[in-house]
């Protein structure tokens, strides 16, 4: 699957039928594997010439619990922030991308559609829609100047992109205003020319100009140093197509018809009072979500404006459902997912994989397992081929039982200019980045 982790979907259709309760949790395994990978990389003398110069946790400091938690560098006066953009190689120029403009949005869409994240086998590539990009890039208080492109001077062709959006993120007890950095992309023909570090420095400069000094981001690659590492899980909704396009394989001793039967879901949802979220639900959903997210080590600090933007349903972008008690009308549970298709590369029969990604879910009355089963049912009704979820928050409690299978890659979470003493488990993460 074209996850940012480079994972290629469900290795075995039957994998999730063999739960092993005594095995170490996925999160423990992830952290051990990461530490091992970092040690191997250091032993090989691998360096991160750019990241070693940045205020991020460094590999050499892993395990040093004497370092204080919090900002690595103090803010500098805005007047001391570099006023001019960083130099680009001579043939290129900066452009601030006005995502409101249909023309500019189409240019960004085309760059990403052809050059953004692929899985390790180059079978799938993320295909964020234009509506999705407009949603992702224009949350409350967004800065146009943080939507940054690079053009070829002569042809004006857009060849690189990076974005930030502002967010309040709580790290343990501290709410920190940060930039969420995403959509870093360099055209395939311009790779390995050290353009990415310039893009990152330029977005950093523009974030600093708004007096913001921290950032959060995720990547499939290991960089100095993840604050958490998690894994995608995939729930087949349309197993035949997933197998046909090579996203998943028929399990051992499984036939296609048995596989289809295995993943069959009821026609309609089962929880009484389960319905689509509406504008008037924003205050109640905000209360429910804030209370729920308070238990995690790292989570967004959502207010009503954020909830209105990020969670009110938007056709083909984000879906949100809640459970309102049929008697009291009290809102007791909530679930949501966003729409992120992937292009299927070089398949004669199919061009797009329709994927739903689990977003924020809260259960107080309806068991989470039942709530998520209803989410699967509505995703199936909406014709999604697969439902993906990270092992963050309490997701581990339903993944195996609801027949999700583990993906084969990892997603790493990072903070810029904020040290945490020890990596947090995926289950302590209350943050989902797009
Ligand atoms: C206070 C505010 C702060 C704001 C900023 C916060 C930080 C934000 C950080 C960005 C968060 C982005 C979140 C997302 O969007 S994650 C999605 C990233 N995009 C893709 O994977 C799309 C396909 N790939 C590409 O377009 C290119 O391969 C990219 C652009 C990724 C690298 O281009 P290229 O392959 O041509 O390489 P280079 O020669 O120019 O540069 C090589 C250097 O770049 C480091 N590198 C490679 N990949 C990543 C990566 N995903 N995050 C951070 N750094 C990365 C690499 O370790 C090396 O540094 P070092 O190892 O030598 O030190």
């Amino acid at each position: 699957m074209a996850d940012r982790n480079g994972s290629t979907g469900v290795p075995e259709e039957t994998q999730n039928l063999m739960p092993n309760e005594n095995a170490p949790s996925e999160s423990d395994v992830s952290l051990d594997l990461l530490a091992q990978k970092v040690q191997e990389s250091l032993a090989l003398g691998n360096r991160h010439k750019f990241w070693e110069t940045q205020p991020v946790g460094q590999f050499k400091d892993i395990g040093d619990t004497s370092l204080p938690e919090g900002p690595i560098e103090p803010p500098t006066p805005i007047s001391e922030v570099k006023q001019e953009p960083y130099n680009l190689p001579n043939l290129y120029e900066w452009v601030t991308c006005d995502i409101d403009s249909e023309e500019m949005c189409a240019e960004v869409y085309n760059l990403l559609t052809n050059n953004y994240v692929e899985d390790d086998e180059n079978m799938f590539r993320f295909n964020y829609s234009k509506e999705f990009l407009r949603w992702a890039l224009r949350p409350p208080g967004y800065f146009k100047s943080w939507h940054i492109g690079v053009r070829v001077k002569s042809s004006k062709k857009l060849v690189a992109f990076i974005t930030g959006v502002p967010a309040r993120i709580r790290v343990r007890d501290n709410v920190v205003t940060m930039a969420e950095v995403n959509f870093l992309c360099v055209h395939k023909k311009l790779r390995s020319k050290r353009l990415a570090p310039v893009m990152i420095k330029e977005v950093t400069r523009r974030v600093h100009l708004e007096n913001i000094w921290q950032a959060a981001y995720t990547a499939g690659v290991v960089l100095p140093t993840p604050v958490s590492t998690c894994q995608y899980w995939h729930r087949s909704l349309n197993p035949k197509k997933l197998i046909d396009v090579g996203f998943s394989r028929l399990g051992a001793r499984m036939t296609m018809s048995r596989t289809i039967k295995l993943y069959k879901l009821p026609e309609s949802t089962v929880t009484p009072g389960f319905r689509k979220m509406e504008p008037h639900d924003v205050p109640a959903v905000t209360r429910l979500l804030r209370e729920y997210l308070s238990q995690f080590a790292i989570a967004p600090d959502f207010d009503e404006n954020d909830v209105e933007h990020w969670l009110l349903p938007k056709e083909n972008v984000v879906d949100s459902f809640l459970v309102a008690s049929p008697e009291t009308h009290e809102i007791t549970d909530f679930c949501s997912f966003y729409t992120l298709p992937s292009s299927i590369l070089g398949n004669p029969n199919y061009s797009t994989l329709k994927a739903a990604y689990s977003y924020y879910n809260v259960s107080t009355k309806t068991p989470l397992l039942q709530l998520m089963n209803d989410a699967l049912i509505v995703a199936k009704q909406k014709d999604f081929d697969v439902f993906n979820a990270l092992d963050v928050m309490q997701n581990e409690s339903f993944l195996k039982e609801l027949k999700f299978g583990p993906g084969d890659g990892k997603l790493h979470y990072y903070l810029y200019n904020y040290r945490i003493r020890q990596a947090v488990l995926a289950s302590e993460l209350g943050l989902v980045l797009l």
Side-chain angles (χ1 to χ4, degrees), residues 141-168:
Y142 77 96
F143 301 98
K144 274 191 181 164
S145 59
W146 293 8
H147 306 158
I148 307 170
V150 171
R151 286 193 194 285
V152 176
K153 273 185 193 161
S154 56
S155 64
K156 302 292 171 203
K157 186 182 162 76
L158 187 72
V159 291
F161 190 58
I162 190 167
T163 67
V165 292
R168 289 179 319 284

Side-chain angles (χ1 to χ4, degrees), residues 4 47-52 115-118 162 179 181-187 190-197 200 203-204 207-208 212-215 217-221 223 416-417:
R4 172 161 320 182
R47 302 267 314 266
H48 287 283
K49 281 221 161 86
F50 169 65
W51 283 109
E52 280 172 11
N115 300 278
Y116 200 48
V117 179
E118 297 179 10
I162 190 167
V181 178
N182 203 350
F183 304 113
L184 168 60
C185 182
V186 168
H187 192 285
L190 296 179
R191 297 274 168 89
S192 305
K193 296 179 189 299
R194 311 300 297 182
L195 204 51
I200 294 168
V203 76
T204 302
V207 171
H208 285 168
I212 293 173
W213 305 89
Q214 272 73 37
Y217 49 104
T218 55
V221 290
L223 305 164
Y416 184 94
N417 194 21

Side-chain angles (χ1 to χ4, degrees), residues 421-434:
R421 218 168 282 133
Q422 218 179 5
V424 304
L425 297 173
S427 58
E428 296 173 307
L429 268 182
L431 177 67
V432 178
L433 299 179
L434 304 171

Side-chain angles (χ1 to χ4, degrees), residues 31 59 63 86 100 122 148 150 165 179 183 193 224 241 247 281 287 290 315 344 386 414:
L31 291 177
F59 289 154
Y86 281 90
D100 293 338
N122 312 103
I148 307 170
V150 171
V165 292
F183 304 113
K193 296 179 189 299
K241 175 171 170 186
F247 180 87
D281 298 316
R287 282 195 298 275
R290 286 186 65 84
E315 182 92 354
I344 303 171
V386 62
Y414 299 93

